[in-house]
Amino acid sequence: MKNTVTAWVAGFASLALVACSGNGPDESDAEVVSNGNDSDVNQVEPRIRINQVGFLPGAAKLAVVPDEGDGRFSVLDAETGEPVLTGDLSIAAVWAPADQQVRIADFSDLTEPGEYRLRVPGLGESQVFRIQPEAYRSLNDAALKAFYFNRASTELLPEHAGQWARPAGHPDTEVEIHPSAATEDRPAGTIVSAPKGWYDAGDFNKYIVNSGITMHALLSAYEHFPAYYAAQDLTIPESGEGGAPDILHESWWNLEWMLEMQDPYDGGVYHKLTTARFADAVMPHTTDATRYMVAKGTEATLNFAATMAMASRVYAPYDEVFGEVSERMLAAAKDAWEWAEANPDVRYDQNAMNEVYDPDVVTGAYSNANIDLVRAWAATELYLTTGDREWREQVDLERMTVGIPSWSNSGGLLWMSLAGHLDQLADADRTLVEGRFQTLGDGLLAQVRGSAWRLGMNVPGDFFWGSNSYALNQAMMLIQAYRLSENREYLDAAHKKMDYVLGRNPTGYSFVTGFGLQQVMDPHHRVSYADDIEDPVPGFVLGGPHNSVQDDCGADEYPSNLPALSFIDHWCSYSTNEVAINWNAPLVYVTGALQALTADER
Ligand code: G3I
Ligand code: 9MR
């Protein structure tokens, strides 16, 4: 593994860093000071955990430090070594998921863009960190570009992909109907075509349930911040075409595939397009295992209905560019809804399926999603797109709470869509939406405040497979609470969740490939593993620490069995170290939102 900390820090090694004298402010408040007095050169102390990518000027700014030193801290200008702010560390406390006594340095009062270090007398100094007006812009670009890098069925050219250019993989123009999906019109063995789409993750398969939640975050990003995304240039093959924003061009690559996952004879949607087993760790173009359409089901069909209904309204202004797609997508959504009404509980059960049909299919299951919630999500998108009250009446909103989105829980998605369209809602629904997000936001704030890391994520159950996406999806929901209320605390809490993903966490890693000082280098991503390029494909957030070992590494390989430390940057650790589209999508949403929402602060 390449550790970029050394290289980055070396650039500043010759600077004489000036210690602060300790003439600081009263308890707890940090204050800006003009200079310090005694000089001494300190060691970089890697246990000072801090966002390694950067802070927006107006953001809350925290570092977590071990419970050592004399209780004071200062922030130094990285170039001059002059202190610019001093303060008191918080009282030491333990965060159970990492079981360490830590203190918080809060330097939110520092808003001047620049490069700095945090100094804790008696402990050492942090890596250099930055305050920048565009702190998350290139991260947002890269997080979205990661989808391009995971495109199926196309060659990635050097002018778009740089050193990660690669031949086309998986044309998916000859996909075999698996016996689990056989019907009279399409018997087992029928060949159908469903090219394009994104590989789900580190594997090469394409799963509808996981695509649904992914599309929701990406299309919401555009719906909520159209001007921000209109100005973005991702350098993808379609960039700029027809004046449509790149985020819609990239998303269209997946929507085109999704449309082909619907059985044209009855409106039902196949659960997944997959090989029978996971491929070896090879480049996509070197594999030729049969690809199957597997099992139509209610979970996939309703996910599809929701996604197509939403996409129909988002793409409506661009019908000329994409080819009259909005009507087609709405019709597809309604056909899918009809199928699901007639088949309300056809669950995907891979084990049961494998007892009946050959070949066995052992790839991602994405089963046991909450069907009621995905149905409510689909009806809500149909309501928002058509304005037709009958869809609103399908949802018992008064009895629903807002959950944090995940592939198995679509509840939060419908609330988020409603929050984005308040002007279309009846007064009572508006009040409901605002109240629900306030309750959710306040609950998340309480968790953040009550946590020694000012993060939340306080119990082992918060560290499930893909825990980084939990932090990001919480941030996404906090941003909804902020958009509705303009209560800055919600936005600050969202920033704190970003900090966690970008290095203010007990592992010390920035969890996004290509970003940060201590970078992850060996993600469970077949292309990154097999391409003979040292750097992994950039812009992917990894799953993150997981509270139980469910992979090939073996428990002994993990540095700790504490949930927040159970992470290994190694291929074997697919339950902590894989990438996935549904994890990258909230990374896109949150980074874009933080940039767009603070534009007037620059
Ligand atoms: O539902 C149970 C819950 O009742 C139980 O208390 C809890 C305790 O372990 O487990 C819950 O089930 C977990 C399930 O996710 C639902 O959250 C499983 O243990 C866990 O193994 C499962 O992980 C999923 C993983 O695939 C394995 O199936 C992840 O959510 C999912 O994101 C991940 O997705 C994979 C695809 O299958 C294939 N492509 C890559 C992708 C990312 O790794
Ligand atoms: O590579 C697979 C990854 O994408 C999945 O998320 C994971 C869990 O379903 O499974 C991985 O494949 C492993 C398989 O399950 C067991 N044998 C080793 C495979 C990885 O090398």
Side-chain angles (χ1 to χ4, degrees), residues 202-203 278 465 524 526 552 571 574 578:
D203 63 333
F278 287 112
W465 189 314
H524 190 90
R526 280 169 172 72
D552 292 345
W571 167 260
Y574 47 79
E578 190 164 0

Side-chain angles (χ1 to χ4, degrees), residues 334-390:
K334 288 179 176 172
D335 289 349
W337 176 271
E338 290 301 321
W339 187 92
E341 288 299 277
N343 300 274
D345 201 27
V346 181
R347 288 170 187 275
Y348 186 73
D349 182 343
Q350 196 152 274
N351 292 334
M353 197 179 87
N354 286 339
E355 283 178 19
V356 184
Y357 304 113
D358 281 326
D360 283 6
V361 175
V362 301
T363 54
Y366 290 117
S367 54
N368 291 325
N370 183 320
I371 288 188
D372 291 343
L373 293 180
V374 66
R375 183 179 183 278
W377 174 36
T380 303
E381 298 299 353
L382 280 159
Y383 170 55
L384 292 173
T385 296
T386 61
D388 193 339
R389 197 74 213 149
E390 87 182 65

Side-chain angles (χ1 to χ4, degrees), residues 200-201 203 207 278 364-366 407 465 550 574 578-580 582-583:
D200 181 58
D203 63 333
Y207 310 85
F278 287 112
Y366 290 117
W407 62 259
W465 189 314
Q550 291 187 350
Y574 47 79
E578 190 164 0
V579 309
N582 62 318
W583 306 336

Side-chain angles (χ1 to χ4, degrees), residues 273-352:
L273 190 168
T274 182
T275 47
R277 1 202 102 253
F278 287 112
D280 291 339
V282 296
M283 290 300 279
H285 64 281
T286 66
T287 64
D288 59 3
T290 304
R291 306 270 277 178
Y292 294 98
M293 286 292 195
V294 175
K296 269 181 267 180
T298 315
E299 295 124 310
T301 302
L302 288 171
N303 257 286
F304 174 98
T307 303
M308 290 302 159
M310 181 179 192
S312 167
R313 71 170 177 272
V314 174
Y315 281 76
Y318 295 102
D319 262 347
E320 275 184 27
V321 185
F322 294 96
E324 306 304 320
V325 291
S326 75
E327 215 173 288
R328 178 178 167 208
M329 290 196 284
L330 185 58
K334 288 179 176 172
D335 289 349
W337 176 271
E338 290 301 321
W339 187 92
E341 288 299 277
N343 300 274
D345 201 27
V346 181
R347 288 170 187 275
Y348 186 73
D349 182 343
Q350 196 152 274
N351 292 334

Side-chain angles (χ1 to χ4, degrees), residues 93-421:
V94 172
W95 187 49
D99 197 24
Q100 298 152 348
Q101 286 263 116
V102 294
R103 293 172 163 228
I104 298 285
D106 185 342
F107 49 99
S108 305
D109 289 349
L110 182 61
T111 56
E112 185 62 26
E115 295 193 336
Y116 303 95
R117 287 173 191 275
L118 185 84
R119 170 172 231 200
V120 179
L123 180 66
E125 285 167 8
S126 72
Q127 304 150 347
V128 172
F129 68 88
R130 295 179 187 152
I131 299 178
Q132 289 175 279
E134 305 294 328
Y136 295 141
R137 191 177 287 275
S138 59
L139 177 55
N140 176 257
D141 290 348
L144 199 45
K145 184 79 179 253
F147 289 87
Y148 163 78
F149 282 119
N150 246 28
R151 283 187 187 188
S153 321
T154 190
E155 182 182 8
L156 307 192
L157 297 171
E159 57 261 45
H160 307 120
Q163 65 174 328
W164 296 282
R166 60 169 170 82
H170 303 91
D172 285 343
T173 46
E174 292 182 19
V175 180
E176 197 171 313
I177 298 286
H178 186 264
S180 63
T183 55
E184 221 176 284
D185 293 311
R186 286 182 160 185
T190 305
I191 300 298
V192 299
S193 173
K196 303 191 179 177
W198 301 307
Y199 297 133
D200 181 58
D203 63 333
F204 297 140
N205 304 306
K206 306 192 289 198
Y207 310 85
I208 285 291
V209 167
N210 209 38
S211 269
I213 179 173
T214 302
M215 297 315 298
H216 180 271
L218 295 181
L219 297 181
S220 297
Y222 177 67
E223 266 201 319
H224 296 181
F225 308 107
Y228 176 87
Y229 285 102
Q232 184 173 50
D233 179 2
L234 290 180
T235 322
I236 55 175
E238 305 80 8
S239 281
E241 261 178 42
D246 284 5
I247 191 171
L248 294 191
H249 280 303
E250 191 51 52
S251 298
W252 181 239
W253 190 265
N254 203 53
L255 287 167
E256 273 189 284
W257 160 65
M258 286 183 81
L259 282 163
E260 299 304 329
M261 293 298 283
Q262 184 170 41
D263 181 344
Y265 294 100
D266 64 9
V269 176
Y270 302 103
H271 195 75
K272 57 180 174 178
L273 190 168
T274 182
T275 47
R277 1 202 102 253
F278 287 112
D280 291 339
V282 296
M283 290 300 279
H285 64 281
T286 66
T287 64
D288 59 3
T290 304
R291 306 270 277 178
Y292 294 98
M293 286 292 195
V294 175
K296 269 181 267 180
T298 315
E299 295 124 310
T301 302
L302 288 171
N303 257 286
F304 174 98
T307 303
M308 290 302 159
M310 181 179 192
S312 167
R313 71 170 177 272
V314 174
Y315 281 76
Y318 295 102
D319 262 347
E320 275 184 27
V321 185
F322 294 96
E324 306 304 320
V325 291
S326 75
E327 215 173 288
R328 178 178 167 208
M329 290 196 284
L330 185 58
K334 288 179 176 172
D335 289 349
W337 176 271
E338 290 301 321
W339 187 92
E341 288 299 277
N343 300 274
D345 201 27
V346 181
R347 288 170 187 275
Y348 186 73
D349 182 343
Q350 196 152 274
N351 292 334
M353 197 179 87
N354 286 339
E355 283 178 19
V356 184
Y357 304 113
D358 281 326
D360 283 6
V361 175
V362 301
T363 54
Y366 290 117
S367 54
N368 291 325
N370 183 320
I371 288 188
D372 291 343
L373 293 180
V374 66
R375 183 179 183 278
W377 174 36
T380 303
E381 298 299 353
L382 280 159
Y383 170 55
L384 292 173
T385 296
T386 61
D388 193 339
R389 197 74 213 149
E390 87 182 65
W391 296 112
R392 167 66 188 85
E393 280 152 19
Q394 294 285 344
V395 186
D396 192 357
L397 215 48
E398 292 76 7
R399 295 185 55 184
M400 293 175 67
T401 55
V402 189
I404 304 300
S406 72
W407 62 259
S408 61
N409 179 344
S410 311
L413 308 183
L414 71 96
W415 287 101
M416 187 167 151
S417 290
L418 290 169
H421 292 275

